[in-house]
């Protein structure tokens, strides 16, 4: 949990902060053309909470944590440590997969929350202190447009992303090929598979959760 | 007839099993292969093997690299499942048994892996204690005492306990691996190339440990090795496996079964080549002009 959670905080904070600022930079001129620059806060907060925060935090973790887990389990496979666990009466799934799965599923929502928060602050910082937007407008329209369900969407997605990262990493690690090449390939494949999985799940969950919203609130 | 309980259920008690157990006069084989075949993808490795491991004996399995010795040992330990055939432990078939049941039964077997397979993230003491913590309800003081006992049995001192496997030499890793495998006082010990990669002195230390383990309690041992010195020193019986790729269809993969002395006196050139370490006509495979 320490490795997956605590050590990932700086990476997630840096990613979140820059994504928030990039959103402000890229959207400012278009919002200005429509004379709607005071609404930018809503767009930044909404984008971060429902899409960019969860997806980018998950992608960063798939690279940082997922690859590391796949390489670690792959090394355990090629050095017969997984077979040693079985020989000593232990269940490798219980000892190796379950803790990693739980750590990812439980901690990624927390890391996503950090990424969202820092991203929103980054967007506010650039919009208000660099682009000269009014701070009241930023927060006013953000609070007006964003509802609790948007936070729920982002956090729900992050739970699924955590599960995908853990399962892909453990699967690739457990089925690692022989030698250093096999371990390297397992780490790479874990990241690629997690990345694709995150995007696919993001799409389907996005559709499902939006439909659910209209089903519940209409 | 043995009076002690040798059924796998005695492991349910979650206490450290007392040193039992195997009666060399018992007619029930410890391990029996019946027509076992195993392959990986399209590559067959073992074909129609019939092998018996008798109680109390030390069986050496030798043969060229890639002939399937380690695969055979992993099948014996049920770390792999056969494609065809049946494997029996103490007279009971294990093929088709659930992994949960096998996990419990496997505790009667200790396995020294080729590279020791120590858990990198754990210290030496934690490695040796792993099986005890996993499978018994012993208190920490007793576990600590047993760990030190096992380490001393393999000639290692207490001050190694806090070291990580990466800080150990090859010989020390093997000895820690042996201490870990013996922690649960198994009835059967598997040694996968126990002396490979070690200097001659450390190899002899390992051979001596195998002999002492057997002298301390009546353990059945299976040793996979290339080292004829080890075979002569520790083995009661030798099985020589031959690579399937070198055999004709229908030819037995076991080209020799007997004592080490009989192997050296064999009239089969393939057996002699291996035990004497001579390439013979196989040197032609290198296509050296």
């Amino acid at each position: 949990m320490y490795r997956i959670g605590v050590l990932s905080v700086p990476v997630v904070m840096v990613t979140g902060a820059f994504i928030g600022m990039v959103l402000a930079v890229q959207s400012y001129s278009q919002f200005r053309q429509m004379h709607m620059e005071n609404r930018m806060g809503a767009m930044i907060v909404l984008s971060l909470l429902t899409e960019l925060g969860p997806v980018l935090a998950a992608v960063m973790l798939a690279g940082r944590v997922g690859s590391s887990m796949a390489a670690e389990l792959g090394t355990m496979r090629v050095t017969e440590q997984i077979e040693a666990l079985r020989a000593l009466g232990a269940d490798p799934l219980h000892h190796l997969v379950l803790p990693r799965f739980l750590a990812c599923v439980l901690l990624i929502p927390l890391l996503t929350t950090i990424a969202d928060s820092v991203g929103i602050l980054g967007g506010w910082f650039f919009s208000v202190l660099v682009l000269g937007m009014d701070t009241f407008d930023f927060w006013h329209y953000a609070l007006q447009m964003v509802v609790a369900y948007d936070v729920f969407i982002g956090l729900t997605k992050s739970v699924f992303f955590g599960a995908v990262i853990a399962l892909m990493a453990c699967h690739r690690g457990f089925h690692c090929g022989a030698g250093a090449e096999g371990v390297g390939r397992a780490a790479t494949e874990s990241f690629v598979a997690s990345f694709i999985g995150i995007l696919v799940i993001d799409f389907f969950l996005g559709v499902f959760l939006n439909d659910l919203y209209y089903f519940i609130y209409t | 007839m043995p009076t002690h309980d040798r059924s796998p259920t005695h492991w349910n008690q979650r206490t450290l099993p007392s040193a039992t157990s195997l009666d060399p006069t018992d007619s029930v084989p410890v391990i029996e292969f019946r027509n076992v075949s195993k392959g990986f993808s399209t590559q067959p490795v073992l074909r129609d093997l019939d092998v018996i491991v008798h109680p109390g004996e030390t069986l050496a399995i030798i043969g060229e690299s890639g002939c399937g010795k380690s695969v055979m040992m992993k099948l014996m330990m049920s770390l792999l499942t056969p494609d065809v055939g049946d494997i029996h432990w103490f007279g009971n078939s294990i093929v088709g048994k659930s992994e949960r049941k096998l996990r419990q039964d496997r505790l009667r077997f200790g396995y020294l892996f080729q590279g020791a397979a120590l858990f990198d993230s754990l210290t030496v003491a934690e490695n040796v204690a792993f099986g005890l913590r996993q499978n018994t309800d012993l208190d920490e003081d007793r576990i600590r005492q047993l760990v030190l006992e096992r380490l001393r049995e393999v000639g290692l001192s207490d001050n190694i306990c806090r070291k990580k496997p990466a800080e150990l030499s090859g010989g020390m890793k093997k000895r820690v691996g042996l201490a870990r495998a013996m922690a649960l006082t198994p009835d059967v010990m598997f040694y996968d190339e126990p002396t490979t990669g070690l200097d001659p002195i450390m190899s002899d230390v390992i051979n001596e440990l195998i002999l002492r383990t057997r002298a301390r309690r009546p353990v059945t041992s299976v040793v996979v090795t290339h080292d004829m010195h080890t075979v002569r020193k520790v083995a009661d019986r030798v099985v020589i496996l031959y690579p399937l790729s070198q055999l004709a269809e229908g030819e037995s993969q076991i080209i020799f079964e007997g004592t080490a002395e009989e192997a050296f006196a064999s009239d089969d050139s393939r057996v002699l080549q291996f035990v004497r370490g001579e390439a013979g006509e196989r040197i032609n495979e290198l296509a050296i002009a």
Side-chain angles (χ1 to χ4, degrees), chain A residues 75-76 79-81 83-91 95, chain B residues 74 78-79 99 103 106 113 117-120 130 134-135 180:
Chain A
T75 305
M76 288 186 78
T79 56
E80 297 184 308
Q81 290 178 55
E83 282 172 331
L85 272 176
R86 292 176 66 205
L88 290 165
D91 179 359
H95 273 266
Chain B
K74 284 178 181 167
S78 86
L79 294 174
E99 178 62 21
R103 218 167 23 241
R106 232 180 248 134
F113 287 86
L118 300 178
F119 305 126
D120 295 330
F130 187 90
Q134 178 68 30
N135 302 293
R180 185 178 70 179

Side-chain angles (χ1 to χ4, degrees), chain B residues 197-214:
Chain B
L198 302 180
D199 63 75
I201 295 167
M202 190 48 67
S203 295
D204 205 41
V205 168
I206 298 290
N207 292 338
E208 200 59 43
L209 283 171
I210 294 172
L211 290 174
R212 285 186 191 184
T213 302
R214 191 177 152 186

Side-chain angles (χ1 to χ4, degrees), chain A residues 126-202:
Chain A
F126 201 83
S127 304
V128 174
L129 299 180
V130 180
L131 300 174
M133 243 186 84
D134 186 74
T135 191
F136 173 80
D137 284 346
F138 186 94
W139 295 117
H140 173 72
Y141 286 110
L143 291 171
Q144 197 177 55
M145 294 292 291
V146 175
V147 293
Y149 193 78
D150 296 320
V151 179
F152 170 76
I153 287 176
L155 294 182
T156 305
K157 282 181 177 178
S158 70
V159 170
F160 282 87
F161 296 161
V164 166
I165 292 168
L167 292 177
M168 292 296 179
C170 292
H171 180 266
R172 294 322 308 155
F174 265 67
H175 295 89
C176 171
E181 189 190 355
V183 174
R185 193 173 293 159
T188 310
E189 285 175 359
S190 156
F191 175 72
V192 173
S194 299
F195 190 29
I196 292 170
I198 287 164
L199 295 179
V200 170
I201 284 179
D202 186 42

Side-chain angles (χ1 to χ4, degrees), chain A residues 105-127:
Chain A
V105 166
L106 297 176
L107 289 177
I108 289 187
L110 201 63
L111 292 166
T112 300
T113 307
I114 295 171
D116 288 346
S117 309
V118 177
I120 291 167
L121 286 176
W124 167 82
F125 169 82
F126 201 83
S127 304

Side-chain angles (χ1 to χ4, degrees), chain B:
Chain B
M1 288 291 290
T3 53
H4 47 261
D5 176 15
R6 293 207 288 103
S7 66
T9 51
H10 80 286
W11 287 94
N12 288 336
Q13 297 164 6
R14 289 189 68 83
T15 53
L16 188 69
S18 57
T20 44
S21 116
L22 297 174
D23 182 351
T25 62
D26 195 342
S27 59
V28 179
V30 172
I31 298 164
E32 188 178 359
F33 272 32
R34 294 182 184 170
N35 203 31
V36 168
S37 298
K38 177 72 183 172
F40 297 98
S41 315
T42 55
Q43 180 74 41
V45 178
L46 299 175
R47 185 180 67 199
D48 300 334
L49 283 185
D50 291 301
V51 179
I52 287 178
V53 182
H54 301 289
E57 76 169 343
T58 299
L59 173 71
I61 302 168
I62 60 176
E64 291 176 35
S65 297
C67 71
K69 304 183 295 296
S70 293
V71 171
M72 187 174 169
M73 193 179 257
K74 284 178 181 167
L75 285 167
M76 286 182 174
M77 183 71 177
S78 86
L79 294 174
L80 294 173
T81 48
D83 297 335
V84 180
D86 202 357
I87 298 173
H88 287 238
W89 283 350
F90 303 99
N92 300 313
S93 173
I94 59 164
V95 175
K97 269 192 179 181
S98 69
E99 178 62 21
R100 181 187 286 258
K101 183 77 178 74
L102 284 173
R103 218 167 23 241
Q104 199 176 60
D105 294 354
R106 232 180 248 134
L107 299 177
R108 297 187 75 179
F109 301 82
Y111 201 114
L112 174 60
F113 287 86
Q114 196 173 333
L118 300 178
F119 305 126
D120 295 330
S121 55
L122 304 183
T123 63
V124 165
E126 288 167 341
N127 263 284
V128 179
F130 187 90
L132 296 166
R133 290 198 174 117
Q134 178 68 30
N135 302 293
T136 71
D137 289 329
L138 298 175
D139 60 61
E140 278 303 308
D141 286 343
R142 178 72 181 127
I143 287 175
R144 187 176 159 73
Q145 189 189 341
L146 284 166
V147 167
L148 294 176
E149 267 177 37
R150 293 292 177 266
L151 286 173
R152 281 185 207 124
E153 280 172 14
V154 297
L156 294 170
S157 61
D158 305 359
N159 58 15
I160 200 178
C161 283
R162 288 185 182 175
K163 289 193 172 176
K164 289 281 182 76
E167 299 172 70
L168 306 178
S169 68
M172 286 165 112
K173 280 182 188 168
K174 289 264 167 125
R175 285 191 278 170
V176 174
L178 187 54
R180 185 178 70 179
M182 292 191 313
L184 284 164
T185 55
D187 292 330
V188 183
M189 272 298 302
F190 294 109
Y191 302 91
D192 191 356
E193 302 198 19
T195 58
T196 299
L198 302 180
D199 63 75
I201 295 167
M202 190 48 67
S203 295
D204 205 41
V205 168
I206 298 290
N207 292 338
E208 200 59 43
L209 283 171
I210 294 172
L211 290 174
R212 285 186 191 184
T213 302
R214 191 177 152 186
R216 207 173 290 125
R217 49 193 297 274
V219 65
T220 304
S221 306
V222 180
V223 185
V224 159
T225 185
H226 295 289
D227 185 346
M228 289 313 296
H229 179 68
T230 299
V231 173
R232 292 188 107 153
K233 186 156 184 173
V234 306
D236 300 320
R237 197 158 62 90
V238 181
V239 162
I240 302 183
L241 276 185
Y242 211 62
L244 272 186
S245 56
Q246 308 283 335
L247 290 171
E249 190 65 37
E251 213 175 345
S252 171
Q253 201 173 356
I254 296 176
I255 58 167
F256 175 83
E257 202 169 346
T259 63
E261 284 65 34
E262 286 168 352
F264 278 95
S266 171
D267 51 9
D268 185 332
S269 61
R270 297 172 303 177
V271 173
L272 282 178
Q273 269 179 340
F274 188 83
V275 296
R276 289 178 183 167
E278 293 165 353
E281 73 276 7
R282 299 284 301 275
I283 201 81
N284 297 331
E285 290 171 14
L286 298 173
I288 296 170

